């Protein structure tokens, strides 16, 4: 049923986010079918993986593991230490972009033969729930709107930082992101 829905609606969407929580719904067959259908229709796919399915996520626009997932994959595939191993993983996954989330150490972005580090800004963190979801959703939205990977990653980093300042899972709104961005960079609104 899910595959039928994807096939029926793929031409009417701008991008697909696959957020794998390793709960059983996303089987390798389903993942590969979604990616294949999306690629055939030139719809970008953005993936926040779990280790057990990572080999099914090849050929996507963005592959976004956290540090724990990244280290497990890099070790299993003998990629060596970062940052060079990031290029190996990006190539192995056949992804256009690799965005490695590093928690309080920011992010590492790999795209177009470039490695860029995106630091976090100092802030009070109360709860990291939803930070990864915020990163991938914000990145995907910026990317489908035409922002370059570095700007998309930087805005995603700020958005994730903003949601970590509240207790529990909270949404990021355009107004809260604008306010937060303005405060971080001392901009006039």
């Amino acid at each position: 049923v899910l595959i039928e829905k994807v096939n029926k609606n793929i031409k009417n969407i701008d991008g697909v986010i696959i957020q794998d929580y390793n709960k059983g719904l996303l089987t390798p067959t389903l993942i590969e079918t979604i990616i294949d259908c999306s690629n055939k229709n030139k719809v970008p796919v953005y993936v926040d993986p779990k280790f057990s399915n990572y080999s099914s996520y090849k050929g996507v626009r963005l592959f976004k593991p956290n540090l724990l997932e990244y280290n497990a994959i890099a070790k299993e595939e003998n990629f060596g230490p970062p940052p060079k191993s990031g290029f190996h993983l990006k190539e192995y996954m056949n992804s256009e972009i690799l965005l490695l989330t590093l928690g309080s150490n920011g992010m590492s972005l790999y795209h177009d033969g470039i490695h860029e580090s995106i630091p976090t800004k100092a802030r009070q963190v109360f709860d990291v729930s939803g930070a990864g979801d915020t990163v991938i959703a914000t990145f995907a939205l910026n990317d489908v709107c035409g922002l370059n990977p570095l700007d998309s990653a930087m805005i995603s980093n700020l958005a994730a930082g903003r949601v970590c300042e509240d207790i529990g899972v909270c949404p990021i709104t355009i107004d809260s992101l604008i306010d937060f961005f303005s405060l971080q960079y001392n901009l006039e609104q």
Side-chain angles (χ1 to χ4, degrees):
V1 173
L2 204 51
I3 292 172
E4 290 172 19
K5 297 274 187 198
V6 170
N7 286 325
K8 180 180 177 186
N9 296 297
I10 196 71
K11 293 181 187 206
N12 299 319
I13 60 174
D14 296 318
V16 172
I17 296 173
I18 301 175
Q19 182 76 25
D20 193 344
Y21 292 103
N22 204 26
K23 301 293 183 186
L25 174 68
L26 293 172
T27 63
T29 300
L30 180 59
I31 293 165
E32 292 164 13
T33 301
I34 292 170
I35 292 169
D36 185 53
C37 181
S38 298
N39 287 342
K40 284 179 182 172
N41 288 280
K42 298 183 176 157
V43 174
V45 179
Y46 307 88
V47 172
D48 191 349
K50 284 294 179 221
F51 180 73
S52 61
N53 290 327
Y54 83 90
S55 62
S56 298
Y57 290 117
K58 294 183 177 185
V60 299
R61 170 79 175 144
L62 173 76
F63 188 71
K64 187 207 77 64
N66 63 32
L67 186 58
L68 185 63
E69 294 155 348
Y70 175 84
N71 284 336
I73 297 166
K75 181 179 178 185
E76 182 174 296
E77 298 298 330
N78 297 312
F79 288 149
K84 190 174 183 181
S85 61
F87 289 108
H88 292 303
L89 179 57
K90 180 185 169 301
E91 182 180 317
Y92 176 77
M93 295 307 301
N94 189 28
S95 65
E96 293 177 53
I97 302 164
L98 173 68
L99 181 61
L100 170 60
T101 57
L102 305 168
S104 63
N105 291 320
M107 301 176 173
S108 277
L109 177 68
Y110 299 83
H111 66 100
D112 303 316
I114 301 166
H115 169 245
E116 300 182 88
S117 293
I118 301 152
T120 57
K121 296 271 186 180
R123 60 177 56 95
Q124 275 194 309
V125 174
F126 290 101
D127 192 341
V128 296
S129 300
D133 300 335
T134 300
V135 168
I136 197 156
T138 305
F139 187 99
L141 178 61
N142 286 310
D143 191 60
V144 299
C145 289
L147 263 65
N148 66 53
L150 180 58
D151 288 339
S152 295
M154 290 176 67
I155 293 170
S156 297
N157 191 37
L158 287 174
R162 173 60 192 94
V163 301
C164 289
E165 290 183 337
D166 292 330
I167 296 174
V169 177
C170 72
I172 185 81
T173 65
I174 296 233
D175 289 339
S176 67
L177 189 55
I178 288 170
D179 288 344
F180 189 70
F181 190 83
S182 297
L183 287 171
Q184 292 296 315
Y185 293 98
N186 297 317
L187 302 174
E188 301 264 336
Q189 290 187 28

